[in-house]
Amino acid sequence: MKLATQDKPFFPESLKEKLEYIKSIGFEGFEIDGKLLLERFDEVQRASEATGVPIIAACGGYEGWIGDFDEAKRKNGLSEIKDILRKLGKLGGQGIVVPAAWGMFSKRLPPMVPPRSDEEDRRILIESLSQLNEVAIETGTYVYLEPLNRYEDHMINTLEVASSLIEEGNFSNVKIIADFYHMNIEEPIIAESLKREKKYLGHVHIADSHRYQPGHGHLDFISGFSALQEIGYNGYMTFECRVLGEDERKLYTQSIRYIKECIEKSRAK
Ligand code: LER
Ligand code: MN
């Protein structure tokens, strides 16, 4: 398993320095914001080549969700995601992380009842994923479908629901991204869920139980990583967290060390 990171406010601004910095603190890949990839593609490509740090995936940076209630926004989102996939393909990147929607509706917060039925949600998601699956095939990339916790999305909260959509659409280039923060809220036992849904697992996000740097909260990473070892997962795990504390650079570096120790311990288990 390899470690990657998303961008952080305390990383250098220039892309080359950013990638050099993340390499120096122990990461092997960068998960880029989709907008940054589209707007500064040449610079991203040059920086990746010069530093040898791969752009492994994209996350966010497009307007409109694949399950958007607003049809015009959904279409816009799909068009931007396709552009991001085309650029990622040129860089040899693996794929883009997409939730059904993020922050659009929660069935656990008022008004509790969404404006669309569950059946219609599924129909729309399948339609969006069919379009993206085609472009992912053309570009040699993947769409990483991300279950979010119940407060951030109402359509896909568990790995099981994500798997069922992939099965239903028979999508060759849609996989699941398992995010430890969301799994900590939605999966009864993270290790068991990972083992059960291994067939479609393609990518992983890590943060601790409170969405801050791993090692600072109470999540049991070792049992989750042992499950990943057991199912033969050898992809990337991307840090997707905020950093709590004053010296963010120091704390982030300590967190990488902590996660590497957890990986070692999970191998020994
Ligand atoms: C949001 O909580 C999240 O996990 C991101 O990866 C958005 O897709
Ligand atoms: Mn995530």
Side-chain angles (χ1 to χ4, degrees), residues 65 67 69 101-116 118 121 148-157 185-186:
W65 307 112
F69 292 143
W102 182 37
M104 186 175 75
F105 197 87
S106 165
K107 284 182 179 166
R108 305 310 327 146
L109 296 171
M112 317 294 264
V113 183
R116 199 168 64 194
D118 292 351
D121 282 349
L148 304 183
N149 74 72
R150 66 196 73 174
Y151 304 105
E152 297 184 33
D153 174 49
H154 73 288
M155 290 175 271
I156 311 177
N157 300 138
I185 298 171
E186 298 296 339

Side-chain angles (χ1 to χ4, degrees), residues 154-173:
H154 73 288
M155 290 175 271
I156 311 177
N157 300 138
T158 59
L159 305 186
E160 190 178 7
V161 171
S163 286
S164 76
L165 285 158
I166 299 171
E167 289 269 331
E168 187 175 330
N170 197 19
F171 301 125
S172 60
N173 286 45

Side-chain angles (χ1 to χ4, degrees), residues 46-204:
R46 278 197 302 274
S48 176
E49 278 168 11
T51 58
V53 177
I55 309 301
I56 57 130
C59 183
Y62 54 89
E63 299 268 337
W65 307 112
I66 65 166
D68 215 298
F69 292 143
D70 182 317
E71 190 56 13
K73 286 191 189 157
R74 183 177 76 101
K75 284 200 173 122
N76 186 70
L78 288 173
S79 156
E80 291 181 5
I81 294 168
K82 289 173 191 173
D83 288 343
I84 294 168
L85 285 176
R86 291 189 187 103
K87 291 283 190 248
L88 266 180
K90 286 194 179 152
L91 292 182
Q94 297 177 175
I96 186 167
V97 173
V98 291
W102 182 37
M104 186 175 75
F105 197 87
S106 165
K107 284 182 179 166
R108 305 310 327 146
L109 296 171
M112 317 294 264
V113 183
R116 199 168 64 194
S117 69
D118 292 351
E119 293 71 31
E120 194 58 5
D121 282 349
R122 260 187 103 83
R123 190 189 67 73
I124 294 278
L125 289 174
I126 294 279
E127 203 286 321
S128 292
L129 290 170
S130 310
Q131 291 192 39
L132 296 182
N133 190 56
E134 290 305 309
V135 179
I137 293 169
E138 276 164 37
T139 53
T141 58
Y142 287 93
V143 173
Y144 296 126
L145 191 57
E146 184 174 45
L148 304 183
N149 74 72
R150 66 196 73 174
Y151 304 105
E152 297 184 33
D153 174 49
H154 73 288
M155 290 175 271
I156 311 177
N157 300 138
T158 59
L159 305 186
E160 190 178 7
V161 171
S163 286
S164 76
L165 285 158
I166 299 171
E167 289 269 331
E168 187 175 330
N170 197 19
F171 301 125
S172 60
N173 286 45
V174 181
K175 302 246 181 237
I176 300 172
I177 167 186
D179 181 318
F180 273 77
Y181 169 72
H182 299 299
M183 290 196 290
N184 178 53
I185 298 171
E186 298 296 339
E187 306 292 340
I189 299 171
I190 291 176
E192 295 306 316
S193 299
L194 288 169
K195 284 191 247 178
R196 199 181 53 239
E197 306 304 332
K198 65 180 177 187
K199 185 170 173 199
Y200 297 116
L201 185 70
H203 192 37
V204 173

Side-chain angles (χ1 to χ4, degrees), residues 212-225:
Y212 288 105
Q213 71 271 26
H216 191 272
H218 61 258
L219 233 165
D220 171 15
F221 286 103
I222 299 174
S223 67
F225 292 173

